Amino acid sequence: AQKVTQAQTEISVVEKEDVTLDCVYETRDTTYYLFWYKQPPSGELVFLIRRNSFDEQNEISGRYSWNFQKSTSSFNFTITASQVVDSAVYFCALSEAKGSQAGTALIFGKGTTLSVSS
Amino acid sequence: DTEVTQTPKHLVMGMTNKKSLKCEQHMGHRAMYWYKQKAKKPPELMFVYSYEKLSINESVPSRFSPECPNSSLLNLHLHALQPEDSALYLCASSQDRLPVNTEAFFGQGTRLTVV
């Protein structure tokens, strides 16, 4: 079973549209960490946000916002007023403190390819 | 400085060649990682070094040999690779070995093609 599910394989939007990227995770740990990374065509994985399991406060950073809901095991990412430069693959990832894959660093979802056209 | 530097950026090698990928960070991080990423797939963990010691080997074939000469450097030695080993190889580092409340920073990767 997938630990991190990103059900949206590809999303296409037009500039200035808002877009939400979904992430659902699975863990039995009470302590875990969730991440979002952006991977532009250049290949580098760019860190966007880290959230620990005890901090359900939503976060906003400029046009980016994150909605963490433990009740639904979701950690969704919204880009407001999207821009062409937002085009990239976005990965949600999980790091568990004690789970069956403890110590395996980051468990990535399959990624969502976002294409923003002008 | 949150930079992880990988060299070379591109590498083409024959199946009988020996080559090395290099990774460097100067953030004082004590954990470093190698990931392999095939096209349109997520990164897959290969190796984890913690305090310069190999702590995780995700059943990687012996034709991939990691080395951590010091806390800032991580190498991946390649020998007798197969065409299916062609991929983007990503290096990452974190303050301490995940899972802890810290993030991993990634380099731009080395795009490896085995011919």
Side-chain angles (χ1 to χ4, degrees):
Chain A
Q2 284 186 19
K3 289 273 190 177
V4 180
T5 301
Q6 294 180 255
Q8 303 147 310
T9 305
E10 295 183 9
I11 300 177
S12 295
V13 299
V14 178
E15 255 190 327
K16 299 185 183 177
E17 283 186 36
D18 298 347
V19 58
T20 295
L21 310 181
D22 297 333
C23 174
V24 174
Y25 62 92
E26 177 188 335
T27 181
R28 295 182 180 178
D29 285 0
T30 55
T31 301
Y32 53 90
Y33 307 92
L34 295 165
F35 305 80
W36 276 96
Y37 283 86
K38 173 183 179 180
Q39 188 173 39
S42 60
E44 180 181 3
L45 278 162
V46 178
F47 166 75
L48 296 178
I49 191 171
R50 178 187 78 243
R51 217 7 130 235
N52 72 56
S53 52
F54 299 108
D55 182 3
E56 284 194 74
Q57 190 172 6
N58 291 329
E59 181 155 338
I60 297 175
S61 176
R63 296 184 297 107
Y64 295 170
S65 62
W66 290 270
N67 184 346
F68 177 28
Q69 293 196 340
K70 289 178 72 171
S71 60
T72 56
S73 297
S74 65
F75 186 41
N76 296 338
F77 172 32
T78 297
I79 301 175
T80 303
S82 59
Q83 300 176 1
V84 172
V85 293
D86 296 328
S87 297
V89 181
Y90 290 86
F91 289 99
C92 180
L94 166 71
S95 186
E96 298 174 299
K98 295 181 182 177
S100 60
Q101 297 190 38
T104 57
L106 293 166
I107 305 165
F108 285 92
K110 292 188 176 182
T112 297
T113 300
L114 174 65
S115 298
V116 182
S117 57
S118 56
Chain B
D1 181 11
T2 58
E3 194 170 283
V4 176
T5 304
Q6 289 186 244
T7 55
K9 288 190 170 35
H10 300 273
L11 178 63
V12 179
M13 61 184 290
M15 289 188 284
T16 58
N17 291 160
K18 286 185 181 181
K19 295 287 184 183
S20 296
L21 308 185
K22 297 186 184 302
C23 175
E24 190 168 1
Q25 57 88 14
H26 295 289
M27 296 178 277
H29 288 175
R30 304 316 301 262
M32 296 186 77
Y33 313 80
W34 279 115
Y35 281 83
K36 173 182 177 180
Q37 186 178 24
K38 301 284 277 183
K40 299 189 183 300
K41 298 287 187 183
E44 296 176 354
L45 183 67
M46 299 175 72
F47 303 103
V48 179
Y49 271 83
S50 179
Y51 290 82
E52 301 166 45
K53 293 192 187 321
L54 182 65
S55 59
I56 292 178
N57 175 342
E58 289 287 329
S59 303
V60 179
S62 60
R63 57 186 184 269
F64 295 92
S65 175
E67 178 196 20
C68 189
N70 60 56
S71 60
S72 300
L73 293 174
L74 185 66
N75 298 323
L76 186 62
H77 302 298
L78 314 173
H79 174 55
L81 295 193
Q82 303 297 310
E84 58 265 28
D85 295 322
S86 299
L88 179 68
Y89 288 84
L90 291 160
C91 173
S93 70
S94 60
Q95 191 169 20
D96 208 335
R97 201 190 92 174
L98 292 171
V100 289
N101 201 17
T102 186
E103 55 270 16
F105 292 97
F106 285 80
Q108 281 196 319
T110 295
R111 291 193 185 274
L112 174 68
T113 303
V114 181
V115 296

